[in-house]
Amino acid sequence: GGMLTTNDEVLARNLRAPRVHGSFEKYVHQWPGMNSRLDALQAVVLNVKLDHLDSWNHARQRNAALYRELLDGVVTVPVPLPHQSCHVYNQFVIRAPHRDQLRAFLADSGVGTEIYYPLPLHLQPALASYGYQAGDFPVSEQLAQDVLALPIFAELTQDEIAAVAGLIREFYGGSV
């Protein structure tokens, strides 16, 4: 890889943008680009981490099963399909009515969440040339309003999962 240097802030901003699909604002992309963030040092570290991958995947699967049990009937949770051999739950994404209010409620209690992704592909500026408009893909648009990724990392304890689920149940008054 090469290196670019400049003291022109506008030029620097525009030169950095293609590495994240023209994103100047989180999850809003102005043009197609690339996403290549792995350098040689990171590759060495990841190679060592591969030895732990199976145990981390199993831990996330266990965490997902507990979330499913504790959130049953409260929000829509991901359920593995019968034909899937396994799901590693890189994210655990629920469908949550009043998602933004729930997210703020959880944040007030110190629970970090993320939205993957707030703007559907057909509404990304990078794909505007295809001519799609709001309303063309209503399911995608509704999902973008409802999805919320909960903490799912392998080191999460059962008590922490129960606490997150308890807060969600509290937010919805026990059920939706």
Side-chain angles (χ1 to χ4, degrees):
M3 179 188 299
L4 300 169
T5 60
T6 181
N7 60 1
D8 182 325
E9 191 54 42
V10 173
L11 179 59
R13 179 177 177 259
N14 289 335
L15 289 170
R16 281 192 297 266
R19 68 189 172 131
V20 287
H21 304 289
S23 181
F24 300 107
E25 177 186 347
K26 188 174 184 179
Y27 300 136
V28 177
H29 305 285
Q30 302 301 322
W31 59 80
M34 65 186 121
N35 184 347
S36 57
R37 301 179 180 155
L38 186 67
D39 61 35
L41 181 59
Q42 291 169 321
V44 168
V45 171
L46 287 175
N47 196 40
V48 171
K49 288 184 170 190
L50 279 176
D51 291 340
H52 304 284
L53 188 59
D54 285 341
S55 66
W56 290 338
N57 287 344
H58 291 307
R60 285 195 305 275
Q61 290 163 347
R62 178 198 66 226
N63 293 348
L66 183 55
Y67 269 133
R68 275 195 299 275
E69 177 186 330
L70 296 173
L71 294 174
D72 183 42
V74 180
V75 292
T76 303
V77 296
V79 177
L81 299 173
H83 65 275
Q84 289 178 322
S85 58
C86 73
H87 195 308
V88 296
Y89 298 98
N90 187 47
Q91 282 92 31
F92 187 85
V93 179
I94 62 171
R95 287 192 67 180
H98 312 290
R99 186 262 326 272
D100 294 338
Q101 294 92 326
L102 172 62
R103 187 174 194 212
F105 178 78
L106 292 172
D108 287 345
S109 295
V111 177
T113 59
E114 190 55 79
I115 300 170
Y116 298 111
Y117 291 95
L119 190 61
L121 282 175
H122 68 286
L123 299 179
Q124 290 285 349
L127 302 179
S129 64
Y130 288 97
Y132 293 113
Q133 304 293 319
D136 286 346
F137 296 96
V139 173
S140 293
E141 292 167 30
Q142 186 60 56
L143 286 170
Q145 296 299 311
D146 293 348
V147 294
L148 187 65
L150 302 180
I152 191 69
F153 55 92
E155 297 81 8
L156 206 59
T157 68
Q158 291 189 346
D159 287 345
E160 289 168 328
I161 293 167
V164 172
L167 288 167
I168 294 170
R169 295 184 80 86
E170 178 185 339
F171 177 82
Y172 289 113
S175 64
V176 174

